[in-house]
Amino acid sequence: MNITVRVWRQKNADDKGRMVTYGVENVSEHMSFLEMLDVLNEQLTLSGDDPIAFDHDCREGICGMCGVVINGIAHGPEVTTTCQLHMRSFEDGAVIDVEPWRAGAFPVVKDLVVDRSAFDRIIQAGGYISAPTGSAPDAHAVPVPKDDADHAFDAATCIGCGACVAACPNGSAMLFTSAKITHLGLLPQGQPERESRVIGMVEQHDHEGFGGCTNIGECTSACPKGIPLDTIAQLNRDLLGALAHGKA
Amino acid sequence: MAVSGLIMVGYLILHMYGNLRAFEGPDAFDEYAHHLRTFGEPMLPHEGLLWFVRVVLLAAVLVHAYAAITLWRRNKKAAGYVGGKRYQTKQNRTGIQRSYASFTMRWGGVTIALFIVFHILNLTTNDIHPGGASDSPYLKLHHSFEHFWVLAAYTVAMLAVGFHLWHGFWSAFTTLGQNYSAKRRDSFWNSAAILVSVVITAGFLAPPFAIYFFGLGG
Ligand code: HEM
Ligand code: SF4
Ligand code: FES
């Protein structure tokens, strides 16, 4: 298939940036979206142009590095990561717009690459447990209700890609933050720090310049891992509880 | 946002109930309005309850508007606009699943605020009195809603309230932690929000429409 891609090109953080149009020919429909960009980059390199900078690592949908906005939707038209999106999801002759995540807290470094270290700092503000874990405990030593285990596990599949922020009209990172809160808060190991965790992470979230959630739900729909919206209500419950106990 | 909004929703339901008494005729309606003023006497001063409600409501409106403007500013900055637009593409501009109601929260809210000012000048102070001023609440209503433009203004405003609450009512309960369903669309609170919006919009519009089209009790 032959396609046209319009890509956001921006030399560095200070450059204004603009959309640039390229034709890509003989694209196999079995290629991943990133492989298509690889082909385009070879073309650009051969013709002496600067290749398009984009982030990627595992290319198997687990590291969360590869997010870009495709035709206005974070990670493109399928519920998956950009590296797991295939060209068969597009029509022959399609014009495809590719842009970086947009958020005040995710400044563009170059072309499609943004700085997502704000997420790391949210995690540092409480998204962990500090119990010395030692070797794995006996499976039934501390029973965990099946519902809690399932919910925690679903939330734990968040890969920190940032699509929720890119999709949220408010530039809020509530889905990401609440996924961590739900994951750790529903398991026994997460209890000792449950209240300080939610306070710390929400404070850091706001401090990084992410927006306030108005429960629009675009995050859940864009999330490649299908993190459900009720994790945000779980975060709010934990937050209200912690505030009521005077933990602020 | 959530608490101040829900206080206003509570008030709207009582207010709507009061308005529906118009169907019982002039005497019942004016009696109800009078009773609101003498409620609790002599334990409460004349119009005591009324002023209490007015102060609470004014506080709710101010808190709500202040929070809305703060949130609006903060979120605009957080969304990382480049040159007035967030994404340059012309595709999928309305997102993946966004509702019309969620798009109109801000300007719909401003519309409602302007309406509240008009509404108070019209039916409380009666400074705007199409069809003649009156001391009878029932006649104020009647004179106003014989005019098409008044009916149209109230209709637009009540539709705006309906949309605002469709998103707002659901959203408020999620903000308060009360959403236990993974998918927004089949959530209990989304259905509750639709019910509340429809009841409030229809309940408020019933008396004005009855007056304009059927004259309602002369
Ligand atoms: C002064 C005029 C008003 C303005 C400027 C305004 C604006 C807003 C804004 C910007 C939001 C949050 C945005 C969002 O969720 O996307 C909101 C939420 C809300 N509004 Fe209003 N509004 C106004 C009047 C009202 C009235 C009269 C009611 C009640 C009848 C109301 C009920 C609500 C509720 C329940 C919420 C949800 C709160 C939450 O999400 O926690 N608003 N409003
Ligand atoms: S919640 Fe989903 S969209 Fe957001 S960072 Fe985690 S995996 Fe990505
Ligand atoms: S490259 Fe790792 S998730 Fe796409």
Side-chain angles (χ1 to χ4, degrees):
Chain A
M1 54 198 278
N2 299 324
I3 54 166
T4 305
V5 281
R6 297 171 62 228
V7 185
W8 182 260
R9 300 304 308 263
Q10 181 175 338
K11 284 197 178 59
N12 53 47
D14 302 322
D15 185 20
K16 264 189 69 181
R18 73 217 168 278
M19 297 297 275
V20 179
T21 307
Y22 303 101
V24 195
E25 287 174 8
N26 298 320
V27 173
S28 155
E29 60 183 16
H30 303 305
M31 280 180 180
S32 75
F33 199 84
L34 296 188
E35 284 166 336
M36 183 277 290
L37 288 179
D38 290 337
V39 170
L40 172 55
N41 271 348
E42 272 171 35
Q43 262 180 46
L44 290 175
T45 311
L46 285 177
S47 64
D49 281 332
D50 202 15
I52 300 160
F54 63 90
D55 253 337
H56 59 104
D57 188 12
C58 68
R59 297 211 178 194
E60 54 185 24
I62 56 171
C63 75
M65 286 299 284
C66 60
V68 291
V69 171
I70 301 167
N71 291 339
I73 297 181
H75 290 300
E78 316 281 346
V79 179
T80 187
T81 54
T82 305
C83 58
Q84 293 292 301
L85 175 69
H86 292 91
M87 295 312 292
R88 54 180 166 270
S89 298
F90 301 90
E91 307 267 312
D92 191 15
V95 179
I96 306 171
D97 295 330
V98 193
E99 302 176 61
W101 284 171
R102 288 285 176 211
F106 286 163
V108 174
V109 177
K110 184 177 181 186
D111 297 336
L112 302 175
V113 178
V114 300
D115 177 357
R116 288 180 299 123
S117 54
F119 269 15
D120 299 340
R121 291 187 292 272
I122 294 180
I123 295 294
Q124 283 165 9
Y128 52 80
I129 57 159
S130 36
T133 46
S135 56
D138 279 348
H140 292 299
V142 184
V144 179
K146 171 93 168 78
D147 248 13
D148 288 355
D150 286 351
H151 265 86
F153 200 84
D154 284 347
T157 59
C158 167
I159 54 177
C161 65
C164 42
V165 178
C168 174
N170 301 317
S172 174
M174 264 306 120
L175 195 66
F176 165 77
T177 310
S178 67
K180 308 301 166 195
I181 296 292
T182 305
H183 161 202
L184 298 170
L186 293 183
L187 297 177
Q189 297 90 328
Q191 297 317 309
E193 288 150 311
R194 188 167 178 176
E195 295 194 329
S196 59
R197 172 179 308 119
V198 68
I199 300 274
M201 290 182 81
V202 169
E203 250 171 25
Q204 190 65 30
H205 167 280
D206 294 355
H207 179 73
E208 294 292 344
F210 290 108
C213 174
T214 60
N215 307 309
I216 304 283
E218 286 291 293
C219 50
T220 314
S221 307
C223 176
K225 300 297 161 182
I227 301 297
L229 201 57
D230 58 350
T231 55
I232 294 183
Q234 176 73 52
L235 177 143
N236 288 333
R237 281 201 294 283
D238 281 19
L239 185 63
L240 290 174
L243 291 174
H245 294 158
K247 287 290 161 64
Chain B
M1 223 54 291
V3 175
S4 57
L6 291 177
I7 289 175
M8 290 189 272
V9 175
Y11 168 76
L12 283 188
I13 290 171
L14 295 179
H15 185 0
M16 179 189 80
Y17 164 77
N19 288 2
L20 288 173
R21 306 277 306 248
F23 283 106
E24 292 173 27
D27 296 340
F29 191 71
D30 286 353
E31 168 60 28
Y32 175 78
H34 178 70
H35 193 72
L36 283 182
R37 282 157 180 79
T38 55
F39 190 93
E41 274 180 43
M43 292 283 283
L44 295 173
H46 184 67
E47 298 201 344
L49 176 75
L50 207 61
W51 278 105
F52 175 75
V53 170
R54 282 172 181 166
V55 168
V56 170
L57 268 183
L58 183 66
V61 170
L62 292 180
V63 167
H64 199 77
Y66 174 78
I69 291 164
T70 315
L71 194 62
W72 193 337
R73 283 215 188 119
R74 169 181 164 199
N75 289 355
K76 179 127 202 205
K77 213 166 132 207
Y81 284 81
V82 271
K85 269 191 284 183
R86 191 178 189 198
Y87 295 112
Q88 309 303 308
T89 186
K90 292 197 172 59
Q91 305 184 53
N92 298 304
R93 298 217 64 95
T94 54
I96 308 170
Q97 53 86 52
R98 287 198 70 176
S99 62
Y100 179 75
S102 82
F103 272 108
T104 50
M105 286 310 275
R106 292 166 185 177
W107 289 109
V110 172
T111 308
I112 297 169
L114 293 175
F115 165 77
I116 293 173
V117 174
F118 164 74
H119 175 55
I120 290 174
L121 289 175
N122 174 208
L123 292 178
T124 306
T125 68
N126 215 207
D127 286 317
I128 301 175
H129 46 253
S134 170
D135 283 336
S136 148
Y138 186 84
L139 288 179
K140 287 188 206 169
L141 208 64
H142 218 275
H143 291 157
S144 289
F145 289 120
E146 281 168 349
H147 297 268
F148 181 73
W149 70 268
V150 182
L151 182 74
Y154 276 80
T155 306
V156 169
M158 288 311 114
L159 289 176
V161 169
F163 279 117
H164 200 80
L165 293 186
W166 179 5
H167 181 75
F169 196 76
W170 128 266
S171 177
F173 282 97
T174 296
T175 300
L176 297 174
Q178 297 306 308
N179 169 33
Y180 294 88
S181 115
K183 282 265 170 344
R184 168 187 175 176
R185 291 291 157 201
D186 47 43
S187 121
F188 168 79
W189 288 110
N190 195 43
S191 314
I194 292 174
L195 182 73
V196 166
S197 331
V198 169
V199 167
I200 287 192
T201 305
F204 271 110
L205 285 178
F209 272 79
I211 292 171
Y212 185 78
F213 288 103
F214 308 112
L216 187 66

